[in-house]
Amino acid sequence: MSDLPKCPQCSSEYTYADGEMYVCPECAHEWAATAATDSVDQAKVWKDAHGNLLQDGDSVTVIKDLKIKGSSSVVKVGTKVKNIRLIDGDHDIDCKIDGIGAMQLKSEFVKKA
C-alpha cells in the first residue's frame, strides 16, 4: 500500500508525488506535500458569522431569512435554535427548529446566542 495521502478534494487514493507537490489524477487537484501533514494534526473548528467558536449543544440565532428548499416555508431572522449538533459537510449544523422540524444550517448564517 502507498503511504501517500488521499486527495483532500475528491478522496481519491491514486495520488502521486511530483517534486514538492501531490497531484490527484482524477480531479487534477494539486497541493503542497507539507499541507497534507499539517491538516492531519489540526482539528475542525466551527465558527459562527461573527467568529465565535461553536460547540455541540450551543444555542444560536439565525441572522438571515433562509428559504427551505422544496417548500414555501422560510426560517425568519431572529429564530432561535437550541441544542445544535456540529457535523462535517457543506451544511455544518444539524438541528431541530420549532414549527419546521429537523434540518441542517450553515454556520455562516447564525450567531451564537
Side-chain angles (χ1 to χ4, degrees), residues 61-69 72-79 97 100 103 105 108-110:
T61 304
V62 177
I63 61 168
K64 177 182 177 185
D65 281 347
L66 302 173
K67 295 180 183 177
I68 299 174
K69 191 172 186 177
S72 61
S73 301
V74 176
V75 178
K76 296 283 189 183
V77 171
T79 302
I97 299 177
I100 296 174
M103 67 180 334
L105 301 172
E108 62 196 56
F109 299 123
V110 299

Side-chain angles (χ1 to χ4, degrees), residues 94-112:
D94 195 21
C95 61
K96 287 185 182 178
I97 299 177
D98 293 337
I100 296 174
M103 67 180 334
Q104 294 180 348
L105 301 172
K106 291 186 177 184
S107 59
E108 62 196 56
F109 299 123
V110 299
K111 69 176 181 178
K112 192 170 182 176

Side-chain angles (χ1 to χ4, degrees), residues 9-31:
Q9 193 159 1
C10 71
S11 299
S12 171
E13 58 187 28
Y14 301 110
T15 59
Y16 62 91
D18 184 21
E20 295 292 318
M21 303 288 286
Y22 289 127
V23 181
C24 175
E26 292 185 5
C27 70
H29 180 67
E30 297 181 6
W31 68 99

